[in-house]
């Protein structure tokens, strides 16, 4: 489903709208997982800092 949305965006609107839609989808997925409690903000920050978790 997501691939189809991205492919149609690229074909109809071009490259930069494709990049924007892909980034918006990624941000939405991350925010959704945080809201559901499936992703810890502290673990996410540690991952971007290069720290490894023990689990």
């Amino acid at each position: 489903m997501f691939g189809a949305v991205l492919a149609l965006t690229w074909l109809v609107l071009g490259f930069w709208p494709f990049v924007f839609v892909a980034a918006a989808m990624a941000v939405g997925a991350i925010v959704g997982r945080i809201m559901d409690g499936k992703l810890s903000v502290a673990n996410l920050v540690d991952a971007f800092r290069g720290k490894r978790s023990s689990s």
Side-chain angles (χ1 to χ4, degrees), residues 8-50:
L8 284 173
T9 302
W10 185 309
L11 290 173
V12 174
L13 300 175
F15 177 73
W16 290 111
F18 163 82
V19 171
F20 174 76
V21 170
M25 290 172 78
V27 169
I30 291 170
V31 169
R33 286 184 180 255
I34 290 171
M35 297 289 285
D36 284 344
K38 295 180 181 178
L39 183 64
S40 169
V41 176
N43 289 343
L44 187 62
V45 170
D46 287 344
F48 280 114
R49 288 184 181 167

